Amino acid sequence: MIEHKIIEKQLFKNMVFNLLAFTLIFAIFGTIIFNQIRISLYNNTDEELLNTKQKVLNGQIKEFNYDDIKIKIVEEFKLQGIKELINPRVIYILRNEKGNIINEDSIGRFFEDYIGYVNFNENSLDTIFNTKINGYNYRETDFKIIDEYNKTYYLQLLINTDSEEHIIKNIFKILWLSIAITVILSIIASYILSKKTLKPIIQSWNKQLEFVQNASHELRTPLTIIQAKQELLLLDPNATILDKSEDIALTLNEVKRLTKLTKDLMILARADSNEQQIKKEVTNIDELIKEISKPYIEYASMQEKEINLNLKYNKNINVDRNRIYQLMIILLDNAIKYTEKNDKIDVVTYLKDGKCVIEVKDTGIGISDIAIKHIFERFYREDKSRTRKSGGTGLGLSIADWIVSSHNGTIKATHNTPKGTIFTIKIK
Amino acid sequence: MDKNIINSINKKIYIADDEPEIRNVVKSFLDRDGFITEGFDSGDTLLSEFKKSLPDLVILDVMMPGTSGFAVCKEIRKTSDVPIIMLTARDSDLDYATAMSLGSNYYFTKPFSGLELSGKVKDILNNKESLNGYSR
């Protein structure tokens, strides 16, 4: 089906959209977490490097004995009992102005093997960066020192960051793995969510489609009859109007039917698009029903049927008078259509649980158990020929249902005993 | 005498449509041309009559309560190649394709011309070879 293809396409689009949204959110979230951890891990190292640099520049670490290249702890700090002025994690590489290392001995035996691999670049002074020395990771900062003899030296401060790198690598792996798992989960989640989101859309789509198909069917049927009847008239040019009066009357009936059908369709179309306004006003419902019922009582008695009013609500209520008028006409019309000679129709109002209850009971032919469940559905008709004969469109009770629900009320149909139907309306 | 009238003598046509007025107008046109017509208010009643006595042509409405016109068409095609004309209020390409794939011979979309329908019935019964098509 074409419509199902469109829905499937939409489902796929929604899924892709949800998936992209989920993935993007998790990727951003992951990147932020990853960077935060990375920054905080490097922050400690950077702080240590900057502290050391500051101490050197402040002269707290001085007395670089350039002959035997030692970094001495300032005497006064010694006196103050501060022992850890030199951070044991920091490696000091001192270079002359040509960039040659001049403190090889003081670096220690362990680092001797690595000195050859330490790069130095004058352009990267006063920045903190990552560097790799013979496969090991370091955080490094370089700066210039000018001694009291106006001689220039360069000091490279390095801290091994292998443990930090290891943690970062692990976190990176965990994050990617969790993003991958989340993406897979989000594919499943987005599929379920898309299906769930589309369910009411599909339902209303199908409902609308069915409505349009039914409407089209209902409109085409009288048109077919009108066209055929007119063609039959043309085929018999010598016949008089009297001869063909039955056909002409039937055509006129179909035109009336079309008019009523389009009117009803318009009401429901406006109701669907929320264009139909409800203008509530204080109304004495009993008086209103009495007024509406008057012509129906006369009409019913002409058909030897009886309409009895038992109106005991006796209060004012806020309703749209015109709509209630329309509702009562639909129900009374319906009751008269489906009752026979000597049947009774009772119109009752009363107050129950703070609600206004309106009942239209008849002792007519009644509705089947199956039909009673579908009676308010658009175009639902138990017996088409009967509805056609009575001039119904199959939309009256749908309109009644809309009127009641637009008043935040309820309408239901039940079986009357021993026969017939009861329509019960409750409005607050 | 008109060739078509000769051909219509004793030709039996079954018409199924739940709308009695449609049934009646279709019957009116075909009766005028001398066909023997029988109307059914559902696909099921037509099928049960079909099993008892074979018609020369079947006219089916698609949207009928109970068994739809499409289902009736499919059921008839299991045992017979009697010409079938579909009448429908549905006019999508998909409906037309469905009707044709189920083996119907002609497809009329409502509102249709009764004259055109009776003409088509005569054509089909005169020359079964040039059947398939539609009128929309």
Side-chain angles (χ1 to χ4, degrees), chain A residues 237-265:
Chain A
N238 295 325
T240 63
I241 290 177
L242 196 66
D243 293 338
K244 295 288 176 186
S245 57
E246 204 182 314
D247 284 342
I248 296 168
L250 222 139
T251 308
L252 285 175
N253 261 343
E254 292 303 324
V255 172
K256 264 190 218 165
R257 220 179 104 71
L258 267 180
T259 314
K260 190 169 182 335
L261 193 64
T262 40
K263 225 171 152 181
D264 286 357
L265 281 171

Side-chain angles (χ1 to χ4, degrees), chain A residues 288-412:
Chain A
L288 181 68
I289 290 174
K290 208 186 273 178
E291 188 190 320
I292 303 164
S293 307
K294 226 178 217 174
Y296 281 91
I297 293 171
E298 283 172 28
Y299 182 62
S301 77
M302 276 160 58
Q303 294 187 4
E304 293 178 53
K305 297 171 188 174
E306 203 181 309
I307 294 183
N308 296 310
L309 302 184
N310 187 7
L311 310 172
K312 288 185 175 156
Y313 181 68
N314 224 3
K315 271 171 82 177
N316 285 338
I317 186 168
N318 235 0
V319 289
D320 184 325
R321 279 180 75 92
N322 291 331
R323 294 292 168 216
I324 297 296
Y325 200 100
Q326 202 177 1
L327 168 72
M328 288 312 295
I329 283 176
I330 291 167
L331 294 179
L332 287 169
D333 252 345
N334 211 59
I336 287 181
K337 270 178 211 166
Y338 300 121
T339 45
E340 285 155 353
K341 217 171 151 182
N342 299 324
D343 271 330
K344 281 182 180 176
I345 300 161
D346 288 316
V347 183
V348 184
T349 63
Y350 55 90
L351 176 77
K352 194 185 176 189
D353 303 328
K355 286 177 184 166
C356 169
V357 183
I358 305 168
E359 281 178 4
V360 179
K361 303 181 203 180
D362 68 60
T363 57
I365 51 174
I367 315 166
S368 74
D369 284 336
I370 302 165
I372 214 156
K373 290 177 194 156
H374 303 283
I375 199 91
F376 297 107
E377 285 174 16
R378 293 172 187 189
F379 293 117
Y380 182 83
R381 281 186 284 172
E382 196 175 10
D383 179 347
K384 262 190 190 175
S385 58
R386 195 177 69 192
T387 323
R388 281 189 69 82
K389 263 181 225 155
S390 54
T393 61
L395 291 174
L397 288 173
S398 304
I399 295 174
D401 186 37
W402 166 72
I403 293 171
V404 176
S405 59
S406 68
H407 282 82
N408 299 322
T410 56
I411 182 167
K412 64 173 185 180

Side-chain angles (χ1 to χ4, degrees), chain A residues 1-2 213-214 216-218 220-221 223-225 227-229 231-232 235 250 254 257 381 384-385 388, chain B residues 18-22 25 28-29 32 61 63 65 88-91 94 109-116:
Chain A
M1 296 284 275
I2 295 158
Q213 272 178 353
N214 282 333
S216 151
H217 181 265
E218 296 301 316
R220 283 166 191 260
T221 301
L223 282 173
T224 309
I225 296 164
Q227 181 169 347
K229 290 281 173 196
E231 282 176 349
L232 282 171
L235 286 175
L250 222 139
E254 292 303 324
R257 220 179 104 71
R381 281 186 284 172
K384 262 190 190 175
S385 58
R388 281 189 69 82
Chain B
D18 57 322
E19 295 282 355
E21 288 307 330
I22 300 274
V25 290
S28 304
F29 278 98
R32 278 186 85 260
D61 178 30
M63 285 168 86
T88 178
R90 294 152 69 142
D91 66 349
L94 190 73
T109 304
K110 292 177 186 174
F112 55 85
S113 157
L115 287 170
E116 209 183 315

Side-chain angles (χ1 to χ4, degrees), chain A residues 168-221:
Chain A
I168 287 166
K169 259 184 195 164
N170 273 347
I171 289 172
F172 190 73
K173 270 186 207 161
I174 292 167
L175 265 175
W176 270 111
L177 193 71
S178 2
I179 286 176
I181 292 170
T182 318
V183 166
I184 293 166
L185 285 177
S186 68
I187 292 174
I188 300 165
S190 63
Y191 179 76
I192 296 166
L193 278 178
S194 301
K195 269 220 144 161
K196 236 180 178 175
T197 322
L198 278 174
K199 209 177 169 186
I201 299 170
I202 292 170
Q203 274 172 349
S204 86
W205 172 297
N206 286 340
K207 226 173 150 185
Q208 197 61 24
L209 198 73
E210 200 187 320
F211 180 55
V212 171
Q213 272 178 353
N214 282 333
S216 151
H217 181 265
E218 296 301 316
L219 289 166
R220 283 166 191 260
T221 301

